[in-house]
Amino acid sequence: MIVVTGATGALNGATVEHLLKRIPAAEIGVSVRDVAKAQHFADRGVRVRRGSYDDPAALRESFEGTDQVLLVSQNDPHGDGVGLHRTAIEAAVAAGARRILYTGHQNVRSDSPFAPAREHAATEALLADSGTAWTSLRNGFYAHSLDRLLGPWRQTGVIAAPADGPVSWTDRADEAEAAAIILAGRRPFDGPVTLTARRAVTFDDIATTATQITGRDIRRVVVDDEQWIADQVAAGTPESMARMLLPFFEAARGGHFTQVDPLLAELLGREPRTVTDLLTDRVTA
C-alpha cells in the first residue's frame, strides 16, 4: 500500500488523483487531519485515516500496512517543521514502511537565507539517519508563487520587486504527477532527486515574456528590499509575511534556484509547463 499525507491539499491531493489512474484504489491510503475533507477519496475506495504530524499515535495507525509513505512538508511558517517531520518519519519507520518519500525543494542547504531550504536540509538528514530507504523530491520553485511575487503587473504594467536571479519556476501540477509516477513505478530513486522545469528565468525575462503575451510594455523595476517591504505592507500584506518572503529574493540573487534537471520531463513523457504557460493562463482567464 502507498499512503499519502496531506491529501486534502493541492499538491498531494493531485498526486492521489494521478495514483488512482495508475493503481487500484485499494492499494492507496491517505493520512489527513480532517477525514471529512477526504470523503471524495473514500467514496472511490481509498483508505482514509486520520493522521497529523503532531499526533504520533494517530500517524502510526494511519500508516499501518504501508510499503511507501509520501510525506508532504509541513507549511506552518511558525511551527517546528523539523520536529514535525521527525515525528512523521519515526511513525513511518514504526509502521514498517519500506520507503519514505518527502516533498522537499530544490537547492537544499543548511546555510540558505531561505528558511524552507534549511528545514528541508535538516529533514533530509533525518531521512538519511532513519535506517529506511528514502527519496527526497526536490521540487522546483512552484510557479504559482509568482502570483504574489510579481505584484499587480497586469494593472500597473510594472513588475516592481527586489533584485532577483534565475529561478526554475515549475508547475505544481507537474510535480504532483511526477510524484505519482515515482510512487507507482518500479524504478528506484534513492536519496534526493531534482524535479524542475527546463529553464531558469529572471524577473527581467518574465517581463519580456509578459510583454510578448500582452502586447503591452511590461517593465521590470528593481526596488530596494526595505522599500519593497513598505510597499507590501501598504498593499495590505502583514509585515511579518513580507519579511518571510524577502529571503527568497536574497537566495535567488545568490544563485540558489538556478539548477535545472531533465528528470521531470523524462518522467512526464512531455515538456513541463513553463512560465509562459502560466502567464498566458493568467492573461486569458
Side-chain angles (χ1 to χ4, degrees):
M1 172 171 281
I2 296 170
V3 174
V4 178
T5 68
T8 56
L11 177 65
N12 277 8
T15 295
V16 174
E17 292 290 351
H18 284 291
L19 281 173
L20 284 165
K21 299 173 185 177
R22 289 172 169 81
I23 61 176
E27 297 177 13
I28 305 169
V30 297
S31 174
V32 295
R33 284 178 289 196
D34 185 346
V35 296
K37 292 182 178 180
Q39 186 60 45
H40 60 294
F41 288 135
D43 291 343
R44 293 152 74 185
V46 173
R47 189 183 82 179
V48 175
R49 292 186 178 178
R50 191 182 73 82
S52 175
Y53 288 3
D54 59 5
D55 187 338
L59 207 55
R60 286 194 298 273
E61 183 178 354
S62 72
F63 292 163
E64 181 185 9
T66 186
D67 295 311
Q68 299 184 87
V69 175
L70 175 61
L71 303 177
V72 68
S73 56
Q74 70 88 31
N75 62 0
D76 181 357
H78 305 295
D80 175 14
V82 177
L84 291 170
H85 294 159
R86 178 184 292 108
T87 297
I89 291 167
E90 290 175 349
V93 171
R98 292 187 298 105
R99 178 173 295 276
I100 303 171
L101 296 93
Y102 170 73
T103 58
H105 200 279
Q106 68 180 121
N107 197 261
V108 167
R109 50 195 293 177
S110 59
D111 63 347
S112 175
F114 189 58
R118 302 194 298 270
E119 185 173 295
H120 295 318
T123 301
E124 286 191 2
L126 293 175
L127 288 166
D129 290 340
S130 69
T132 298
W134 62 280
T135 305
S136 180
L137 307 176
R138 291 184 173 179
N139 291 342
F141 215 104
Y142 297 135
H144 68 272
S145 303
L146 288 169
D147 290 334
R148 175 189 292 270
L149 295 172
L150 293 179
W153 65 272
R154 282 174 287 172
Q155 291 75 38
T156 65
V158 174
I159 296 174
D164 68 316
V167 177
S168 52
W169 299 103
T170 309
D171 187 70
R172 181 171 59 190
D174 283 347
E175 304 281 24
E177 183 175 354
I181 291 168
I182 289 173
L183 283 163
R186 295 173 180 264
R187 176 180 170 185
F189 290 89
D190 292 315
V193 295
T194 299
L195 302 170
T196 69
R198 289 280 200 178
R199 181 174 172 233
V201 297
T202 65
F203 277 20
D204 282 337
D205 297 324
I206 291 173
T208 298
T209 299
T211 295
Q212 294 168 345
I213 291 171
T214 62
R216 299 166 51 202
D217 181 21
I218 307 298
R219 295 185 298 116
R220 163 68 164 121
V221 175
V222 176
V223 179
D224 175 80
D225 287 1
E226 288 304 315
Q227 182 60 53
W228 184 78
I229 294 288
D231 292 344
Q232 291 291 300
V233 172
T237 300
E239 183 174 351
S240 59
M241 174 64 72
R243 292 201 177 277
M244 195 159 47
L245 291 171
L246 186 61
F248 157 78
F249 292 100
E250 182 181 349
R253 59 188 177 239
H256 289 215
F257 307 128
T258 61
Q259 182 182 7
V260 295
D261 194 287
L263 179 59
L264 179 59
E266 179 187 331
L267 290 169
L268 297 176
R270 58 174 171 80
E271 286 301 305
R273 281 172 53 84
T274 65
V275 170
T276 299
D277 294 325
L278 176 109
L279 295 181
T280 300
D281 287 349
R282 298 300 185 262
V283 169
T284 59

